[in-house]
Amino acid sequence: MKVLIYSESQKMLKKSGIGRAYYHQQQALKLNNIEYTLDPKDSFDVVHINTVFKKSYKFMKKMQKKNIPVVVHGHSTVEDFRNSFRCWKLIAPWFKKCLFRMYSNADIMVTPTYYSKRLQENYPNVNCEIIPVSNGIDLTRFNNNYTKEELDEVRQKYNLGNSKIVMGIGLFFERKGLHDFIEIAKSMPDVKFIWFGQKYKVLTTSKIVKAIKNKPDNMIFPGYVPADVISKMLTLSSCFFFPSYEETEGIVVLEALANKTPLLVRDIPVFDWIEKDKECLKGKDNEDFKNKIQYLIDNDNTEMVNNGYLKVSERSLDKVGKQLEDVYKKALALKGK
């Protein structure tokens, strides 16, 4: 069995969760000795499509005419498109059309969580089987095996001094809760708050622009940084705080758990797979978040982070690769192959 992993506009998506998932799929298949290609002109038995736009749809229909099974990856939902970036309401009808057209014509779908599966099952004319498969996590990237000198170098680079650190990651989307992150930073001036992620100025909503303009002195925006910097910062942080209002999984949450960094997320359905108070903390509003950040700073969280690591280990890339292999075999069986 040979798989084509397909992604339209990968250069544009490289710094997004979809771009990371695309890379993770390749690693997961390698770990399970499953042959794959990224070249649509190559020979292959199954297509795994990660995008939903016109080019992807045309390619899917072309493959189905050749009786090649198509697995569509349900990375996106109507729900997580809302309140993401400027003018999203104008684009929403077109995006919904792309999404529904792609999902309703798939031979089989994978999606990162049971939560996103429930949403997608209720979309118009989606009748194929939808199988939850995590985007996965490369546990080998997060071993905390850094010297004091390496960590001190990162502290100096961002002028963090000896302060306690609260970290977040994400595109500068309103949906990610960045405005809440900044408000809480204002209320905790003795703690350094740092948010990593690519900023696309033209896409940023006025609410986020205003929040950034009025950020406090203890709030830092270093932009998009290499993976090794992220893992070092996770090691230094007293809390990884992710106040997102809507996700299909949230790869950054997997990274925090894999790094054994105390995790605080918004209490929303997508995170039901992480047990509240045992593997992470969950909050409902800014006052709740502030209190829980202070709790994580003041207390020993060893038991919680160890529990969280065990939970995220179930989503390691080697396990994800086996699950994807099962999906591909099901897709082949649907075509009588």
Side-chain angles (χ1 to χ4, degrees):
M1 177 174 60
K2 186 174 180 180
V3 183
L4 169 65
I5 305 177
Y6 182 92
S7 179
E8 184 181 346
S9 306
Q10 179 56 23
K11 281 188 179 179
M12 184 178 75
L13 296 171
K14 186 178 179 182
K15 296 177 181 179
S16 71
I18 295 174
R20 303 262 292 292
Y22 175 72
Y23 176 64
H24 280 185
Q25 288 158 22
Q26 296 167 53
Q27 289 181 295
L29 298 195
K30 279 181 188 174
L31 288 168
N32 286 276
N33 298 311
I34 299 167
E35 191 177 2
Y36 74 90
T37 179
L38 305 178
D39 183 2
K41 295 178 181 177
D42 204 345
S43 61
F44 45 83
D45 305 295
V46 183
V47 182
H48 183 162
I49 299 182
N50 286 275
T51 40
V52 299
F53 309 119
K54 187 176 180 180
K55 189 177 175 183
S56 299
Y57 176 72
K58 287 178 72 175
F59 186 72
M60 172 174 69
K61 299 308 287 183
K62 181 180 177 182
M63 293 301 101
Q64 288 172 331
K65 281 182 181 179
K66 293 182 176 182
N67 203 39
I68 295 174
V70 177
V71 176
V72 171
H73 208 121
H75 292 291
S76 301
T77 63
V78 172
E79 290 74 11
D80 76 359
F81 189 75
R82 293 177 186 142
N83 296 315
S84 286
F85 48 84
R86 186 182 293 178
C87 300
W88 72 269
K89 287 184 180 179
L90 293 176
I91 305 168
W94 167 81
F95 183 73
K96 283 172 70 174
K97 181 182 176 181
C98 291
L99 210 65
F100 295 163
R101 181 177 62 183
M102 200 75 190
Y103 291 178
S104 64
N105 282 280
D107 293 315
I108 197 165
M109 281 182 63
V110 292
T111 194
T113 55
Y114 281 96
Y115 169 70
S116 54
K117 169 184 161 74
R118 290 195 298 271
L119 295 177
Q120 290 159 3
E121 282 175 334
N122 289 311
Y123 292 166
N125 302 313
V126 177
N127 300 312
C128 68
E129 184 176 5
I130 305 175
I131 302 172
V133 179
S134 171
N135 287 312
I137 185 71
D138 180 2
L139 295 174
T140 64
R141 263 190 59 210
F142 303 95
N143 55 20
N144 287 311
N145 193 25
Y146 297 114
T147 64
K148 183 179 182 299
E149 288 73 24
E150 287 175 309
L151 296 176
D152 285 346
E153 186 180 338
V154 176
R155 274 192 176 273
Q156 290 167 14
K157 181 177 181 178
Y158 297 118
N159 194 29
L160 298 170
N162 294 316
S163 299
K164 297 294 185 181
I165 301 163
V166 172
M167 177 180 167
I169 304 174
L171 294 171
F172 283 47
F173 287 173
E174 199 171 315
R175 169 175 64 81
K176 297 288 184 181
L178 176 55
H179 51 295
D180 294 319
F181 194 94
I182 294 170
E183 283 303 306
I184 292 163
K186 288 179 183 178
S187 70
M188 303 181 77
D190 295 331
V191 178
K192 292 285 188 183
F193 284 72
I194 186 164
W195 182 279
F196 293 96
Q198 185 74 29
K199 180 184 179 184
Y200 297 100
K201 193 174 181 180
V202 70
L203 296 178
T204 309
T205 64
S206 57
K207 184 172 186 175
I208 295 299
V209 170
K210 185 179 178 182
I212 293 169
K213 188 177 179 181
N214 296 306
K215 77 173 185 68
D217 291 340
N218 61 321
M219 176 82 226
I220 304 163
F221 290 108
Y224 184 85
V225 298
D228 68 308
V229 176
I230 293 295
S231 54
K232 288 172 187 173
M233 278 302 309
L234 283 168
T235 301
L236 284 170
S237 297
S238 298
C239 168
F240 182 80
F241 173 36
F242 193 57
S244 180
Y245 287 84
E246 185 70 33
E247 296 289 325
T248 52
E249 182 174 43
I251 293 176
V252 293
V253 167
L254 275 62
E255 292 178 345
L257 292 168
N259 203 78
K260 296 188 177 181
T261 303
L263 173 64
L264 171 61
V265 295
R266 192 177 298 277
D267 195 354
I268 54 177
V270 72
F271 298 130
D272 285 353
W273 65 277
I274 319 170
E275 190 171 340
K276 181 179 178 180
D277 298 331
K278 180 181 178 183
E279 297 158 350
C280 73
L281 296 186
K282 299 181 182 182
K284 295 187 179 297
D285 55 39
N286 285 4
E287 188 61 29
D288 195 13
F289 286 140
K290 179 185 173 182
N291 292 336
K292 283 173 177 169
I293 288 170
Q294 194 62 57
Y295 175 87
L296 292 174
I297 288 171
D298 292 341
N299 288 276
D300 180 358
N301 305 294
T302 304
E303 184 177 355
M304 186 175 73
V305 298
N306 285 338
N307 289 337
Y309 183 83
L310 289 175
K311 177 58 69 70
V312 83
S313 297
E314 296 168 7
R315 300 184 175 220
S316 64
L317 287 179
D318 59 323
K319 293 183 175 70
V320 166
K322 288 183 173 65
Q323 292 169 345
L324 287 175
E325 183 178 25
D326 289 341
V327 172
Y328 301 147
K329 286 177 178 177
K330 276 193 173 188
L332 285 164
L334 286 173
K335 299 290 186 179
K337 296 186 177 183

